Amino acid sequence: MAPQAHRHALRQNYWPTAAGAAIAFPRLDADIDCDVVVIGAGIMGLNAALELAGRGVSVAVVEAEHPAAAASGRNGGLVVPSLPRVGPLDVVRLLGDRYGPELVRLVADGAQTVFSTIERHQLKCDAVQGGWINPAHAGELVEGLQARVSAWQRAGSRATWLNAAEARQRIGSDTFHGALYDPSGGHLNPFGYTQELARVASEKGARIFCESPVLRVGSGGGRYVVHTPTGSITANTILQCTNAMQGGPQSLAPAVARSFVPLTVFQLATQVISADVRRTILKGNEALSDTRNNLFALRFTADGRIVTGGMAPVSQWMAEPRLLRSLARRMERIFPQLYEVKFDFIWSGGAALTPDFLPRLFEVGKNWFAPLGCNGRGIAMTTSLGQRLASYVVDRDPEVLPLPITSAAPIKAHTFARYVPQLLLPVGILQDAMRR
């Protein structure tokens, strides 16, 4: 590998270059009234707004920047019908018989919900439902992964087992020992998906305001008043769909901001891969994420690049050059046919990690809801949860909710806890290397 192979990677989000410029929505410059105000024009907030507008609810969306500016438009674009680290039995154990099975069904159907939403509204976002592959990177993990397949099958998932030969043939690498495969998964351009959700929600009647950060939330006459620098929105209900972007010490809901650990995850896009080599990797144009603690994930883009990602161990110091080198070496090890990996783009986004890897639905105040905690499964989870929450707001039927509504429970020693995943990552990398 040439030592300067990655020097010229642009520190820029690749997705807007493929999706086009952000749609221009106005700044909120008046005092307006609506039934529901959504804070955050990401995937969850816009799915909620689209569902609400489609049901005739007066809804406004207020966004500090523009749709897809944060994690919704900066992730790897994988659409994954699963949860990280926990399986169906764990979910039922943690949530009980009322909510556990409902969340399991929502997760199992989550990828299909995304692609059905795209088809129903004709969203242009380079969506490919080629399936999701979750391969075992070590032979000792095969038995556990097979049990995971069986558990998800019993829960109604479309997951199947690929033996070592089948997985290696489909993936194009001899380094894996079998795989969970779910044909409902896939990938898309997350920036394009979020932008298209904003477009369709606006066409359905949702009022979307950008460059309008929320400064504070007041109340009067039994209603909320959301204040921005140049206007306000009075509403009966608030959906705070900001997930990992909670505003730190100035958060609208400090207890919510301390209830999860924010992660910084980097994404990298290679140069365009030659057609001959592309035909040997992920032959069905699937999305892939494996069983490593230091997760290995990748997918192809519409123009033939590979997008992969990871976290910087220990600290963010020199994170970009370190990841450019280490992720290139990892891809070359797993796919030697790539020969020399060169990246054109590197960027970062945020993720919200909860202690048990399950999402949350917090109630900050009466009719002020704050869902969060997608734990790296954002596209499917935020789509499904946004739609379900909107249905609940309209019908007030608790049966549609896959989670209990609770008060935020701040993590103890949160100031330190937020650094723990990064500090422990080298241990996870060592464990990955020792497994056989």
Side-chain angles (χ1 to χ4, degrees), residues 176-192:
F176 297 108
H177 301 265
L180 179 158
Y181 171 68
D182 192 317
S184 71
H187 53 82
L188 47 72
N189 180 325
F191 184 91

Side-chain angles (χ1 to χ4, degrees), residues 16 37 45 72 139 144 162 179 214-215 228 298 318 326 376 384-385 400 404:
V37 58
S72 289
L162 303 178
V214 176
L215 302 178
T228 73
L298 79 157
M318 296 288 286
S326 63
S384 300
L385 199 51
V400 306

Side-chain angles (χ1 to χ4, degrees), residues 33 115 154 220 252 280 357 405 416-417:
D33 188 285
F115 290 107
R154 290 193 296 272
L252 298 174
T280 70
F357 303 102
I405 299 174
F416 170 73

Side-chain angles (χ1 to χ4, degrees), residues 91-423:
V91 174
V92 175
R93 175 176 56 82
L94 291 165
L95 291 181
D97 292 335
R98 161 62 184 89
Y99 291 103
E102 191 63 31
L103 180 60
V104 167
R105 282 191 291 272
L106 180 133
V107 171
D109 295 339
Q112 189 58 55
T113 298
V114 172
F115 290 107
S116 295
T117 298
I118 290 168
E119 183 177 8
R120 182 165 64 253
H121 298 290
Q122 294 297 292
L123 308 182
K124 299 177 179 64
C125 56
D126 294 330
V128 176
Q129 194 171 15
W132 172 59
I133 300 178
N134 178 215
H137 77 279
E140 66 187 68
L141 299 175
V142 165
E143 185 176 350
L145 192 56
Q146 287 176 321
R148 187 177 176 87
V149 170
S150 297
W152 279 109
Q153 286 175 336
R154 290 193 296 272
S157 165
R158 296 169 63 187
T160 59
W161 175 251
L162 303 178
N163 64 34
E166 292 169 330
R168 290 168 179 173
Q169 192 278 333
R170 188 184 286 264
I171 295 168
S173 171
D174 292 335
T175 63
F176 297 108
H177 301 265
L180 179 158
Y181 171 68
D182 192 317
S184 71
H187 53 82
L188 47 72
N189 180 325
F191 184 91
Y193 176 52
T194 312
Q195 287 284 312
E196 284 285 274
L197 286 170
R199 176 184 62 81
V200 176
S202 178
E203 290 173 355
K204 296 288 186 181
R207 289 174 286 178
I208 300 175
F209 301 98
C210 294
E211 298 181 6
S212 302
V214 176
L215 302 178
R216 61 185 178 89
V217 176
S219 61
R223 307 183 75 203
Y224 289 108
V225 184
V226 174
H227 296 272
T228 73
T230 55
S232 69
I233 302 175
T234 300
N236 301 319
T237 301
I238 294 176
L239 302 186
Q240 183 179 327
C241 298
T242 50
N243 203 33
M245 304 297 291
Q246 294 288 332
Q250 304 304 316
S251 173
L252 298 174
V256 173
R258 296 195 303 272
S259 68
F260 67 92
V261 173
L263 301 180
T264 298
V265 183
F266 288 84
Q267 304 294 336
L268 299 86
T270 67
Q271 294 180 346
V272 175
I273 307 299
S274 72
D276 288 343
V277 174
R278 285 205 305 273
R279 282 192 285 269
T280 70
I281 299 173
L282 296 176
K283 298 177 178 65
N285 205 0
E286 303 92 344
L288 179 148
S289 54
D290 74 1
T291 51
R292 288 174 171 85
N293 294 302
N294 184 26
L295 185 71
F296 176 64
L298 79 157
R299 44 72 55 93
F300 278 105
T301 64
D303 63 351
R305 303 173 190 272
I306 292 175
V307 170
T308 188
M311 288 174 54
V314 183
S315 78
Q316 297 299 326
W317 181 78
M318 296 288 286
E320 292 174 345
R322 285 192 289 146
L323 287 169
L324 286 166
R325 288 190 297 269
S326 63
L327 295 184
R329 288 196 298 267
R330 181 161 73 168
M331 287 181 63
E332 290 163 355
R333 264 195 323 270
I334 295 172
F335 297 105
Q337 63 266 49
L338 290 171
Y339 180 60
E340 182 182 52
V341 173
K342 296 182 179 180
F343 293 109
D344 278 351
F345 299 88
I346 180 169
W347 67 99
S348 65
L353 182 69
T354 58
D356 58 8
F357 303 102
L358 297 183
R360 301 286 192 271
L361 178 52
F362 294 133
E363 188 170 37
V364 180
K366 185 178 180 181
N367 296 326
W368 177 349
F369 303 104
L372 60 77
C374 297
N375 295 284
R377 296 291 190 260
I379 294 174
M381 180 60 72
T382 51
T383 296
S384 300
L385 199 51
Q387 294 177 6
R388 290 289 191 95
L389 185 53
S391 294
Y392 173 74
V393 167
V394 175
D395 299 326
R396 297 293 165 165
D397 178 6
E399 293 298 316
V400 306
L401 292 177
L403 295 165
I405 299 174
T406 62
S407 298
I411 296 172
K412 294 180 180 179
H414 184 262
T415 301
F416 170 73
R418 60 185 296 149
Y419 299 106
V420 169
Q422 209 168 4
L423 292 171

